[in-house]
Amino acid sequence: MRPTHLCLAVLVAAVWGVNFTVIEIGLDHFPPLLFSALRFLAAALPAVFFVGKPKVAWKWILGVGLALGVAKFGLLFVGMDAGMPAGLSSLVLQIQAVFTALIAFAVLGERPTRLRLLGMAVALCGVGLAAVDEGTGGPLGAFALVIAAAVCWGVSNVLTRKASPPDSLNFMVWVSTVPVLPLLLLSLLTEGPSADLAALRALDWQGAGVILYVAWVTTVFGFGVWGWLLRRHPASTVAPFSLLVPVFGMSSAALFLGEPVSALRWCAAALLVGGVALTSLAPAPMKASTASVRPTAPMKASTASVRPTKASTASVRQATDHAPLSDAP
């Protein structure tokens, strides 16, 4: 990877990590569900008029839009508003790689390798330590909401893998059109029209800047550059940079928000990031149906010889999915 491309990959990870701190600031200006709706509205407009028509079926756009936009980001924003620290949120969300692998096994029949199972176990130990640390100084209910957000992220990753979008930026912009109305409706029902109107009337430059950052910088710029890098380098080269997201997330939260980072939390971070690395970067699992095929005839043997290419393609998609749709949060 060229030095300029290396710098771009680190920049995207930094943008996505700092995004958690920006979200924390934004929650001081908006109710969480309204904030999430405004984020997707700004990400979709005016970009939707410039990225061209959708390149996948609408069922995938709707499915990912609901799982990622409404469920994942709705739960994340509500969890952070309920007291989940920004830095810890950036760390705990990485457990989505484990949920992605588990859901892919249940839905797609992808059998995890032993190395991947080891990575899941290590990552879960990291989440357990983080829960113990959070239980001594924060609400466990908010922690559970962020875990639920990671589960929904795993669902959206599997849906994205099934959709196989040829253009990640085009896909993400069209996905951003889906959550706006459901999130607005949920906000009106749960947060109330008076709270929403009060937040909109009090909109200032800082609030507008927060929306533009989480929409244009993390979504449009982040995914645009990430997709550009994936088209020029193997996914196994690009995907590991997403592991820097919690490093930037925890560091920026400590620097700008004054969030303390205990020794126990650093241990949790080391375990979770290490486990996610094993889970995400281990060799691609074989589908159960593929593993059961016995190449008895010459034609079957020749077909089996082609399968590594398909496996490598699945590996590319998987590494792409494990990167924050990452958009980051």
Side-chain angles (χ1 to χ4, degrees):
M1 184 179 286
R2 297 177 182 177
T4 53
H5 296 184
L6 180 68
C7 291
L8 282 174
V10 174
L11 176 61
V12 173
V15 163
W16 285 342
V18 173
N19 187 52
F20 287 89
T21 296
V22 176
I23 290 173
E24 188 73 38
I25 296 172
L27 290 172
D28 292 333
H29 292 76
F30 308 100
L33 294 177
L34 175 64
F35 183 21
S36 188
L38 293 174
R39 173 257 177 90
F40 283 108
L41 178 63
L45 298 175
V48 73
F49 297 110
F50 298 97
V51 297
K53 296 180 180 180
K55 294 178 171 56
V56 299
W58 268 102
K59 65 179 180 179
W60 302 121
I61 293 174
L62 291 173
V64 174
L66 293 174
L68 181 74
V70 179
K72 182 253 182 172
F73 282 107
L75 289 168
L76 172 65
F77 281 37
V78 171
M80 291 181 65
D81 186 63
M84 184 69 168
L88 186 59
S89 296
S90 71
L91 174 65
V92 170
L93 265 185
Q94 299 306 311
I95 199 66
Q96 58 85 18
V98 173
F99 291 123
T100 298
L102 293 174
I103 296 169
F105 169 69
V107 176
L108 304 179
E110 294 181 356
R111 291 180 176 176
T113 62
R114 291 182 179 179
L115 184 60
R116 184 158 292 175
L117 289 173
L118 175 62
M120 292 182 196
V122 173
L124 288 173
C125 289
V127 169
L129 274 183
V132 171
D133 182 61
E134 180 65 8
T136 62
L140 284 178
F143 187 94
L145 287 173
V146 176
I147 292 289
V151 175
C152 295
W153 195 358
V155 172
S156 72
N157 282 341
V158 173
L159 291 175
T160 301
R161 190 179 310 170
K162 292 286 287 183
S164 300
D167 185 336
S168 59
L169 179 60
N170 171 281
F171 182 68
M172 191 61 209
V173 169
W174 280 104
V175 163
S176 296
T177 65
V178 175
V180 178
L181 291 180
L183 285 170
L184 283 176
L185 180 60
L186 287 172
S187 178
L188 289 172
L189 291 175
T190 61
E191 296 164 348
S194 58
D196 290 350
L197 287 174
L200 293 174
R201 288 171 180 167
L203 181 65
D204 55 14
W205 287 107
Q206 188 181 54
V210 163
I211 292 175
L212 293 180
Y213 184 93
V214 298
W216 290 1
V217 179
T218 64
T219 303
V220 178
F221 171 79
F223 271 102
V225 172
W226 196 257
W228 183 85
L229 289 171
L230 285 170
R231 287 192 295 271
R232 285 159 178 77
H233 301 281
S236 59
T237 300
V238 179
F241 287 93
S242 67
L243 298 177
L244 295 174
V245 171
V247 176
F248 286 110
M250 295 176 68
S251 300
S252 63
L255 180 62
F256 297 109
L257 302 177
E259 288 186 3
V261 184
S262 64
L264 189 61
R265 188 167 299 182
W266 280 120
C267 291
L271 287 172
L272 204 154
V273 172
V276 168
L278 289 174
T279 303
S280 302
L281 304 178
M286 295 179 64
K287 289 189 177 181
S289 58
T290 302
S292 63
V293 174
R294 293 175 296 176
T296 55
M299 182 60 70
K300 291 182 180 179
S302 63
T303 302
S305 66
V306 179
R307 280 178 184 150
T309 302
K310 294 181 178 179
S312 63
T313 302
S315 178
V316 169
R317 290 176 185 168
Q318 182 181 28
T320 304
D321 291 339
H322 285 167
L325 246 187
S326 244
D327 149 90

